[in-house]
Amino acid sequence: MGLFHTNYIGMRDAFASMSKNQLVEQILESYKPIWALDHASSLLGWDVETYMPLQGSRSRGFAQAQLALMKQERVTSLDGMIERATKEGGLSDYEKGILRVIKRDLNYFKKVPPKLIEDLQRTSTEATVVWRDARKKSDYATFQSYLEKIIELKKQEADKLGYVGHPYNALLDMYEEELTINDVDRVFSALVPGLKNVLSKIIADKTYVSSHPLEAVEYEQQAMTRVNQETMRLLKMPEKTFRMDISTHPFTSSMSLEDVRVTTRYEGKSFRDSLYSTIHECGHAIYDLQVDPSLEYTPLSRAASLGIHESQSRFWENFVGRSREFTKLVYPILKKYLPFVSGYSEEEIYKYFNVVRPSLIRVEADEVTYNFHIVVRYEMEKALIGGKVSVSEIPSLWNDKMEEFLGVRPKNDAEGVLQDVHWSGGGMGYFPTYTLGNIIGGMIYNKIRKDLDIAKTVQRGELGLIKNWLREQIHKLGATYSPKELQTKIFGETYNPEHLLEYLEHKYLA
Ligand code: MG
């Protein structure tokens, strides 16, 4: 099967149509220190979330701001070369990709003044630490002034970047190239009624349960760590190129194509949450690790977008990880390390993995109700950036929206507005990429089954075949194509929620 050969030629060679463009080669030389600055900044960011002592946040914010300013200087110095290179004919897709990605950075750094970049970096690094404490104490008041400052800075950022229609469009584009409110509204207007329909049928049908005794069962962290390690072996994670740590909010951070960091968390009960956090983050890591090695140190050695990135984590977490076949694979591991699992059949564990219930916490939500959490955040962000609501109104508005979309109301702000790290880090416009990830996951599931019998492949534990498919279709390309171009190439369509809805209907109701 041609698709799965492993000795593929490097992307750079594959795209070198006739001759390499000299100017683009020169740009790549000048890009190397920019890559190094990103590398340093990623490592500092990872450390904030894992090992940095609390008091380190002020100096870390200062250092991050200085690095961002150095990057600004370096990127803007490429302006003339990029302008000239754009005018050259006969560029390969690889070369066009390089120019496209740098132009996006250039656009940002030319329009957003150094003072604003510095303020954003410093405020968000400090606010992340304040948020962590506020969440622990469920104390919105201590976080509110920081959030006000962040919203103000994000509004300024949107104004500087410029936008058509709504200032939120400028922020969406930062995480998902060319994404607009129109796209997101189109997606949600099809997805929300579809999901409500599926959810009400699942609840009426009762084949899938809305709670499970294992959700209350406590586990030993050490034992669960072993479960996660063995699960990563199932996923064939290459041991020398990643490491796993613990953080409040699980995340993945790529330092280079040979060094990717993932985190998970241990809440002490309901082991499912730690297991699926691990699988989710490994999905991200697999993407980062399978970018073509020849793209290292270039602007293309990264994901096409956050939506595409999230499609990878979601694909492994849900489409693979929550299947009957994967349950069969992981069941012996669970029984080995978590003695209480022996009291439950494989089918009962599968039902525990797939409990469907409208709930308060996004990261613990099942795959049916998850996107309702995103629509809540999307509407709040749009209103905040559009100046329609004030930061002080947010907690009660949040609770109203939760009732509207999920039918549940938080009892305090820790299980409401304070649950996510994103706003404290300045990540406004980020949340919609989670739903895009779920949707693209559905598109992949629809497409991959034309080449692979997914159920059999997972049952046999041949997860390497799935990794190969994803590498050849998506990963190896890095950021060569924009997310919309990439989807059009692979699927012939963009952000189509129908495949996700079909998958859910089939899984839960067939
Ligand atoms: Mg993710």
Side-chain angles (χ1 to χ4, degrees), residues 280 284 310 313:
H280 179 101
H284 282 303
E310 190 70 5
S313 55

Side-chain angles (χ1 to χ4, degrees), residues 376 380 394-404 408-413 415-417:
V376 168
M380 311 259 304
I394 285 300
S396 63
L397 190 63
W398 177 287
N399 295 351
D400 292 346
K401 291 266 172 212
M402 286 299 288
E403 261 193 296
E404 180 188 339
V408 292
R409 193 172 185 90
K411 288 188 296 294
N412 56 56
D413 292 332
E415 57 182 36
V417 68

Side-chain angles (χ1 to χ4, degrees), residues 33-58:
I34 298 171
W35 182 93
L37 288 171
D38 282 341
H39 180 75
S41 177
S42 293
L43 190 57
L44 295 185
W46 169 81
D47 180 64
V48 170
E49 300 294 331
T50 49
Y51 296 109
M52 189 190 75
L54 215 62
Q55 294 283 336
S57 71
R58 198 173 298 272

Side-chain angles (χ1 to χ4, degrees), residues 30 149 164 179 240 304 309 447 467 478 485:
S30 310
K149 210 167 160 194
V164 179
L179 188 73
K240 288 181 180 160
H309 223 315
K447 171 93 179 169
K467 285 173 72 172
E485 283 172 335

